[in-house]
Amino acid sequence: MSKIKKVAIVGGTHGNEFSGIYLLRKWQQSTVLDRDSFSVETVFANPKAHNDNKRYVDHDLNRQFNVTDLANNELASYEQSRAKAINQQIGPKGNANVDFIIDLHNTTSNMGPSLILLQSDSFNRQMGAYVKMQMPKAVVVFEDHTPVEHHHFLSSIAPQGVIVEVGPQPQSVIRQDILDWMDEMTKHILDFVHLHNIGELLPLIPSYEAFRYHETLSLPVDEQEQRIGMVHHSVQDNDFKLLRNGDPIFTLFDGTEVHWQGDYEAYPHFINEAAYYDNNLAMSLAKKVLITTHG
Amino acid sequence: MSKIKKVAIVGGTHGNEFSGIYLLRKWQQSTVLDRDSFSVETVFANPKAHNDNKRYVDHDLNRQFNVTDLANNELASYEQSRAKAINQQIGPKGNANVDFIIDLHNTTSNMGPSLILLQSDSFNRQMGAYVKMQMPKAVVVFEDHTPVEHHHFLSSIAPQGVIVEVGPQPQSVIRQDILDWMDEMTKHILDFVHLHNIGELLPLIPSYEAFRYHETLSLPVDEQEQRIGMVHHSVQDNDFKLLRNGDPIFTLFDGTEVHWQGDYEAYPHFINEAAYYDNNLAMSLAKKVLITTHG
C-alpha cells in the first residue's frame, strides 16, 4: 500500500442517519480532522433526503456506485444524479481523486461501533487491528465477498474505503453515546492512516476476532409478500451473539416459533434494521473469523 | 360513568408506528377483542402514511381533532380529510357513535408500556389502577391539563379515550417485546371496560403512583433554529427517572454541558423521540403524583 494523500469523510449518505451529518458540522468548527500526512475533504452526500427526513428521495444512494450505473446517463433520479456528482467530486471510480473514503452510517440495530471493511488486504487487516486496540468495544466486519470494484457502495469509489456503522439509534435521532462512538472511531481511523503514511504503525496485535458476512435472511411473508412474522425476542438486540442450528429466530403473528436451520455457527447483525422495511430483510448472518494482522 | 357500549381501537394514526398496525391485522384473525358487554370496531387511521412509511403525509393526524378544525372545510390536506372521515365514522366529537377509544402508538423513547389518560375522573383513575395491578410494568401518565373537548388528539372524539404508548421502538420496526406489551395492555383495558360494565370491578388498589404532564423542553438551537446540542447521555433512556435542579440535561456539540434549572422534581419522558425532529423538542417533563383510585 502506498501512502494515502487524500481522504474523504462522507456523512448523510442516508438522510435520516443523523450522527455523521452532525459530526461533519461539528468537525468543520475545529481542526480535529487535520493530520500532517494527508488532506481531508468532507462530503454531505444526500442533503435533499436529510431535508425530507428520509433515508433517500428516489433510490438508496448507497447502492448507486457500480461502474456501469455511474456510466449510464439514463439513470437520472435524484440519488442517481447525486451518485454521478459525488463520483465527479471525489472519484471517478477506477481513477479516483481521493485515496480513501470513510462513509458514516447509523443503524437501528444493536451493532455498537462497527467498522465495515470491504477488503481484507494488509492495509485493512492492520486498520482493524489498530481500531480494536484503541477501542476494544469496536466490532470489525469484513464484507469482502465482492471485489471492491463491483461494490455499489459509495465507499467503493476510492481504492480504499470503509463504512463506520454505529447503532442502535432510531432514524432521525441524535444519541450522544452513538455520536461519541462515531467521533472516536473516525479519529482512530485517521490516526491509523497517518501512522501508516509515516511508517510508524507497529507493534499491532498479531491477530484478532472479527466477523465475515455470509448471508442475508428475510422475514417470513405470505404469497402476497405481506409479513406474517417478526424477529424472535431472543434474537432482538443480540447482534454479534451466537446463533446455532435449532435456535428460535422468528415468531409468527399466530404465535408459532420458527427455528433457524443452518449448518454453521452464525452471528446475526443488522437485526431488525428499520431501513430494510421495504424489502422485508430480517438480518445479516456472519461467521466469526480470526484475522491475522500481518502477512 | 354509564356503560360503555361501543369501543373503537385505532392503529396506524402515525404511519411508521408499526405495533398497532400489525396488532389490528393479527386481532382480525381472532376473537381476542370480543367481550360480552360491548362491541369493538377497529380503525386503520392513516393507511397512506403507512404506505409511504412516514408518520404523516401532510400534517400530523393526531393533532387534527379539535372541534373548530373538524368543522373547517378549508382544512383539506390528506390528514385533515382523514380526520373528518374518522370523525364521521366513530364520532362526531361531542355526540360520538363510540363511547371509548383506544389509540395505539409507539415511541422511540424508553417509556415501556405507558397508558396515557386524558382525564382524571373516577373511570380513568380506576382504569389506571386496574392496568397497574394486572401489568406492574405499566406506567400511567395523566395528560389532563386540557379539557378533553379541547384536545386535538384522535382519542378525544369519544367521551372517553386513552392512548397506549409503547417503546422504545424505532420507527418502521416491529419488535416482539413492544408488540407483546401493547397486545397485553390493550386486553387489560378491554377487560377493565367489561368489568366496569358488569359492575364487578372491586377490589382495586386504593392508590398508585403515576405521572402528570407538566411541560415540554426544547433542544438548544441557534438563531437560525439549527440544533447546537443534544440530550445528555445521562438522561437518554432514563424516561420516568428523577431529574433534579442542576442535573445535566443537554450536551452542546462544542462539549459544553447544560444543567437543568427547575424548582421541582421532574420526571422526563418522550426523551429524544424521533418524531419531534421537526420542532426540536427534547422531552416532556412530568411530576410524580399519587392517584387515589376511589372517591
Side-chain angles (χ1 to χ4, degrees):
Chain A
M1 263 295 296
S2 55
K3 285 190 186 177
I4 303 283
K5 292 176 190 159
K6 291 189 180 178
V7 173
I9 304 182
V10 183
T13 299
H14 294 134
N16 55 13
E17 299 177 5
F18 277 23
S19 303
I21 297 166
Y22 279 85
L23 280 175
L24 289 189
R25 291 184 195 168
K26 173 182 158 173
W27 290 331
Q28 278 155 9
Q29 313 298 318
S30 78
T31 56
V32 296
L33 302 183
D34 296 354
R35 300 290 183 281
D36 287 341
S37 64
F38 57 85
S39 66
V40 172
E41 177 175 1
T42 59
V43 179
F44 183 13
N46 199 335
K48 190 169 187 320
H50 180 59
N51 201 49
D52 291 357
N53 195 22
K54 291 160 71 170
R55 182 175 174 86
Y56 56 81
V57 178
D58 297 315
H59 295 96
D60 190 330
L61 178 57
N62 207 28
R63 305 291 182 271
Q64 306 305 322
F65 291 90
N66 132 348
V67 173
T68 314
D69 290 346
L70 288 170
N72 182 349
N73 289 319
E74 303 204 347
L75 301 179
S77 74
Y78 178 68
E79 278 83 7
Q80 289 162 345
S81 304
R82 278 301 295 154
K84 291 173 174 68
I86 293 166
N87 191 48
Q88 183 172 32
Q89 182 180 353
I90 59 175
K93 187 166 174 173
N95 183 28
N97 175 36
V98 305
D99 307 304
F100 181 60
I101 295 172
I102 305 172
D103 193 18
L104 305 173
H105 286 261
N106 290 122
T107 173
T108 64
S109 306
N110 189 26
M111 285 172 60
S114 293
L115 175 62
I116 299 180
L117 303 174
L118 307 184
Q119 299 174 72
S120 47
D121 59 1
S122 171
F123 178 74
N124 280 274
R125 284 180 284 123
Q126 290 184 13
M127 189 186 335
Y130 182 82
V131 169
K132 279 190 79 80
M133 286 168 70
Q134 302 300 324
M135 194 175 182
K137 203 180 171 56
V139 179
V140 176
V141 182
F142 285 88
E143 292 202 11
D144 56 349
H145 50 289
T146 307
V148 71
E149 60 272 23
H150 295 165
H151 260 298
H152 48 193
F153 294 149
L154 190 152
S155 48
S156 72
I157 296 176
Q160 293 286 352
V162 300
I163 296 171
V164 172
E165 184 76 70
V166 191
Q169 180 169 273
Q171 297 171 340
S172 315
V173 165
I174 309 172
R175 288 181 62 106
Q176 186 179 356
D177 51 358
I178 302 298
L179 194 91
D180 289 348
W181 281 341
M182 184 180 281
D183 194 351
E184 182 186 348
M185 184 177 273
T186 304
K187 289 172 184 168
H188 292 319
I189 295 168
L190 295 177
D191 287 342
F192 166 79
V193 171
H194 179 62
L195 295 171
H196 161 87
N197 277 347
I198 63 175
E200 295 188 4
L201 257 181
L202 303 179
L204 294 172
I205 44 174
S207 65
Y208 57 95
E209 187 179 272
F211 299 91
R212 176 163 278 138
Y213 170 83
H214 187 67
E215 62 176 319
T216 301
L217 299 189
S218 294
L219 289 164
V221 295
D222 63 16
E223 309 81 57
Q224 286 82 44
E225 294 291 309
Q226 295 295 307
R227 295 185 190 186
I228 56 167
M230 58 194 155
V231 170
H232 193 277
H233 63 78
S234 67
V235 175
Q236 179 72 47
D237 301 332
N238 282 326
D239 296 74
F240 302 115
K241 302 283 166 58
L242 176 60
L243 180 78
R244 285 198 180 88
N245 181 48
D247 286 345
I249 188 161
F250 301 121
T251 305
L252 304 189
F253 297 128
D254 69 8
T256 311
E257 291 196 340
V258 177
H259 298 256
W260 185 58
Q261 309 291 319
D263 61 358
Y264 65 102
E265 296 200 323
Y267 292 83
H269 55 293
F270 284 118
I271 297 170
N272 225 351
E273 159 59 46
Y276 301 155
Y277 162 82
D278 315 48
N279 40 18
N280 288 322
L281 300 184
M283 67 192 75
S284 298
L285 297 184
K287 292 182 178 181
K288 193 186 275 190
V289 288
L290 187 74
I291 298 295
T292 307
T293 305
H294 303 288
Chain B
M1 262 294 295
S2 54
K3 283 190 188 178
I4 303 284
K5 293 176 188 157
K6 291 189 180 179
V7 173
I9 304 183
V10 183
T13 299
H14 295 134
N16 56 12
E17 299 177 5
F18 278 23
S19 303
I21 297 166
Y22 278 86
L23 280 176
L24 289 190
R25 291 184 195 167
K26 174 181 158 176
W27 290 331
Q28 278 154 8
Q29 313 299 318
S30 77
T31 57
V32 296
L33 301 184
D34 297 353
R35 300 290 183 281
D36 287 343
S37 63
F38 56 86
S39 66
V40 173
E41 176 175 2
T42 59
V43 179
F44 182 11
N46 199 333
K48 191 169 187 319
H50 180 59
N51 201 49
D52 291 357
N53 196 22
K54 291 159 71 169
R55 182 175 174 87
Y56 56 81
V57 178
D58 297 316
H59 294 96
D60 190 330
L61 178 58
N62 207 29
R63 305 290 182 271
Q64 305 305 323
F65 292 90
N66 134 346
V67 174
T68 315
D69 291 346
L70 287 169
N72 182 348
N73 290 319
E74 302 205 349
L75 300 180
S77 75
Y78 177 69
E79 278 83 7
Q80 288 162 344
S81 304
R82 279 301 296 154
K84 291 172 174 68
I86 293 166
N87 190 49
Q88 183 172 33
Q89 181 181 354
I90 59 175
K93 187 167 175 172
N95 183 27
N97 176 34
V98 304
D99 306 305
F100 181 60
I101 294 172
I102 305 173
D103 192 17
L104 305 173
H105 286 261
N106 290 122
T107 173
T108 65
S109 306
N110 189 26
M111 286 173 58
S114 293
L115 175 61
I116 300 180
L117 302 174
L118 307 184
Q119 299 175 71
S120 48
D121 59 1
S122 170
F123 177 74
N124 280 275
R125 283 181 283 125
Q126 290 184 14
M127 189 186 335
Y130 181 83
V131 169
K132 280 190 79 80
M133 286 168 70
Q134 302 300 322
M135 195 175 182
K137 203 180 170 54
V139 179
V140 176
V141 182
F142 285 89
E143 292 201 12
D144 56 350
H145 51 289
T146 305
V148 72
E149 61 271 25
H150 295 165
H151 259 298
H152 48 193
F153 294 149
L154 189 153
S155 48
S156 73
I157 296 177
Q160 292 286 352
V162 300
I163 297 171
V164 172
E165 183 77 69
V166 190
Q169 181 170 272
Q171 298 171 340
S172 315
V173 164
I174 309 171
R175 288 180 63 105
Q176 185 179 356
D177 51 0
I178 302 298
L179 194 90
D180 288 349
W181 281 342
M182 184 181 282
D183 195 352
E184 183 186 348
M185 184 177 274
T186 304
K187 289 171 185 169
H188 292 318
I189 295 168
L190 294 177
D191 287 342
F192 167 80
V193 172
H194 179 62
L195 294 171
H196 161 87
N197 278 347
I198 63 175
E200 294 187 5
L201 255 181
L202 302 181
L204 294 173
I205 44 173
S207 65
Y208 58 95
E209 186 179 272
F211 298 91
R212 175 162 279 136
Y213 170 82
H214 187 66
E215 62 176 318
T216 301
L217 299 188
S218 294
L219 288 164
V221 295
D222 64 15
E223 308 81 55
Q224 287 80 43
E225 293 291 308
Q226 295 295 308
R227 294 184 191 186
I228 56 168
M230 57 195 157
V231 171
H232 193 276
H233 63 79
S234 68
V235 175
Q236 179 72 48
D237 301 332
N238 282 326
D239 296 74
F240 302 115
K241 302 283 167 58
L242 176 60
L243 181 77
R244 285 199 179 88
N245 181 48
D247 285 345
I249 188 161
F250 301 121
T251 305
L252 304 189
F253 296 128
D254 69 8
T256 312
E257 291 195 339
V258 177
H259 299 256
W260 185 57
Q261 309 291 322
D263 60 358
Y264 65 100
E265 296 200 324
Y267 291 84
H269 55 293
F270 284 117
I271 296 170
N272 224 351
E273 159 60 45
Y276 301 154
Y277 162 82
D278 316 45
N279 40 18
N280 289 321
L281 299 184
M283 67 192 75
S284 299
L285 297 184
K287 293 183 178 181
K288 191 187 275 189
V289 288
L290 187 73
I291 297 296
T292 306
T293 305
H294 303 289

